[in-house]
Amino acid sequence: MYIGIDLGGMSIKAGLVNEAYKIVATKTMPTGAERHGDEIAKDMAKLALELAEENGYKMQDIKAVGVGCPGACNSKTGICAFSANINFKDTHICEIITKELGVPAYLGNDANVAAFGEYKVINEEMESMLFVTLGTGVGGGIILNGKIYEGFNGVGAEIGHIQVDKNSENKCGCGRYGCWETEASVSALIRETKKAIEANPDCAMAKSVEGDLSRVNGRTSFDAAKAGDAVAQKIVDAFIKAVGEGVCSMINIFQPEVLLIGGAISKEGDYLLDPIRKLAETDTYKHNGVHTRIAAAQLGNDAGIIGAALLGE
Ligand SMILES: [Zn+2]
């Protein structure tokens, strides 16, 4: 049995994960992100202990505790150097957890760890996989030779910050314009949907939210496009193209066996993926007819817990 912890700015979620890579029980507590980082690390240990005991396990039954954490995480040292939303500053997360619980602890960046979870459950003999998650931003992870690639400093694989449109007016948090994240995140989709509604107050999207822009979400344009709204179709096409541009760049660099797209929008399935597959067929470098398989991620919100748990496998 393993314990995986998915740490976020709002909550700490811990899960017991068995040898078949399934979550068998979970427990959650608030993060208290403004507290001293050491206190948060100690609480992760406490939560793991409670989860184990409440389900009839002793810590000796737990092979490892893994943590997926937002920010710059070095898996070799077990230290989180910095996290934008949690008060970590060179926090020795693994050392603290091991001291509290007496079991090995592992650490990884949350998106990388989610990628690792997806990789492990695909259950294929593959060396390389890319995971792209479309949400508030564009995140992801790179698995090479069966291992997470995190760069020498723990902040590699920030794939949302490749530039896909240098003429874009959208400035990214990283300082650049036209990052993949500013063009292909769900936030970008919502931004463009709102703009289109303002410019076309009679379109089907405007009617579907009754003119209330605060009701626009990631599905507004997709639903209206499927119902035949031309304005929505333009938004959807541009969004999918932006996702696809980044996918092609990632394929050209890594030629992974599989590229998974995750985030709530991946529930659109082939409606989202088929145009991306088509673009990848024409716009990526290839010479032997063997192409990257592009598919929807499977684990949803469970990827973080499962991936974290299996860091210690
Ligand atoms: Zn950026």
Side-chain angles (χ1 to χ4, degrees), residues 160-161 172-176 179:
H161 301 285
C172 183
C174 74
R176 243 176 161 187
C179 279

Side-chain angles (χ1 to χ4, degrees), residues 231-253:
V231 177
Q233 191 65 58
K234 250 178 113 175
I235 300 298
V236 168
D237 288 349
F239 172 75
I240 293 178
K241 179 87 176 2
V243 177
E245 292 290 354
V247 165
C248 290
S249 295
M250 298 312 291
I251 290 175
N252 279 334
I253 299 167

Side-chain angles (χ1 to χ4, degrees), residues 54 177 272:
E54 284 169 18
Y177 286 85
L272 170 74

Side-chain angles (χ1 to χ4, degrees), residues 187-206:
S187 314
L189 177 62
I190 291 171
R191 181 192 68 223
E192 295 305 317
T193 304
K194 286 180 177 174
K195 272 195 215 165
I197 289 174
E198 282 181 313
N200 304 275
D202 295 325
C203 72
M205 292 192 294

Side-chain angles (χ1 to χ4, degrees), residues 12-291:
I12 308 173
K13 292 180 213 148
L16 271 171
V17 176
N18 67 17
E19 271 69 12
Y21 305 166
K22 294 268 189 297
I23 297 176
V24 295
T26 59
K27 192 170 167 79
T28 301
M29 67 177 286
T31 305
E34 68 294 337
R35 296 182 293 158
H36 193 284
D38 288 5
E39 295 303 315
I40 298 169
K42 277 182 196 161
D43 264 357
M44 287 195 278
K46 189 169 157 249
L47 186 70
L49 179 64
E50 287 170 7
L51 175 69
E53 286 180 344
E54 284 169 18
N55 289 279
Y57 295 97
K58 297 194 180 77
M59 279 326 285
Q60 298 95 286
D61 303 321
I62 306 298
K63 288 184 185 152
V65 175
V67 178
C69 168
C73 298
N74 188 322
S75 65
K76 293 176 199 80
T77 60
I79 294 172
C80 176
F82 167 78
S83 179
N85 301 313
I86 301 173
N87 194 13
F88 287 146
K89 203 168 179 310
D90 294 324
T91 305
H92 291 244
I93 292 178
C94 290
E95 194 183 309
I96 291 169
I97 291 176
T98 297
K99 200 172 153 209
E100 294 288 315
L101 300 177
V103 296
Y106 298 85
L107 175 71
N109 167 273
D110 56 352
N112 293 350
V113 162
F116 190 61
E118 296 279 356
Y119 170 78
K120 294 294 277 187
V121 299
I122 283 184
N123 200 18
E124 283 179 18
E125 290 286 323
M126 60 177 175
E127 287 186 355
S128 56
M129 189 205 85
L130 248 73
F131 172 65
V132 182
T133 176
L134 309 175
T136 312
V138 172
I142 300 163
I143 308 296
L144 295 177
N145 300 320
K147 294 198 173 81
I148 293 170
Y149 178 78
E150 64 177 23
F152 83 100
N153 53 5
V155 291
E158 285 293 338
I159 61 175
H161 301 285
I162 56 170
Q163 196 178 39
V164 295
D165 179 3
K166 72 180 171 60
N167 297 315
S168 170
E169 294 170 350
N170 304 309
K171 191 171 187 188
C172 183
C174 74
R176 243 176 161 187
Y177 286 85
C179 279
W180 201 9
E181 175 159 305
T182 67
E183 311 304 316
S185 60
V186 175
S187 314
L189 177 62
I190 291 171
R191 181 192 68 223
E192 295 305 317
T193 304
K194 286 180 177 174
K195 272 195 215 165
I197 289 174
E198 282 181 313
N200 304 275
D202 295 325
C203 72
M205 292 192 294
K207 285 181 188 132
S208 76
V209 297
E210 294 169 341
D212 179 359
L213 291 181
S214 71
R215 287 174 56 188
V216 171
N217 61 36
R219 288 190 310 276
T220 308
S221 57
F222 273 82
D223 290 348
K226 285 178 196 163
D229 180 31
V231 177
Q233 191 65 58
K234 250 178 113 175
I235 300 298
V236 168
D237 288 349
F239 172 75
I240 293 178
K241 179 87 176 2
V243 177
E245 292 290 354
V247 165
C248 290
S249 295
M250 298 312 291
I251 290 175
N252 279 334
I253 299 167
F254 293 101
Q255 293 290 345
E257 283 163 77
V258 175
L259 186 147
L260 294 182
I261 296 182
I265 205 151
S266 66
K267 293 198 181 81
E268 296 288 344
D270 289 342
Y271 186 82
L272 170 74
L273 298 178
D274 278 344
I276 295 171
R277 290 175 181 132
K278 207 173 242 174
L279 192 69
E281 257 171 46
T282 57
D283 286 20
T284 59
Y285 184 84
K286 61 192 96 47
H287 59 88
N288 58 1
V290 181
H291 307 326

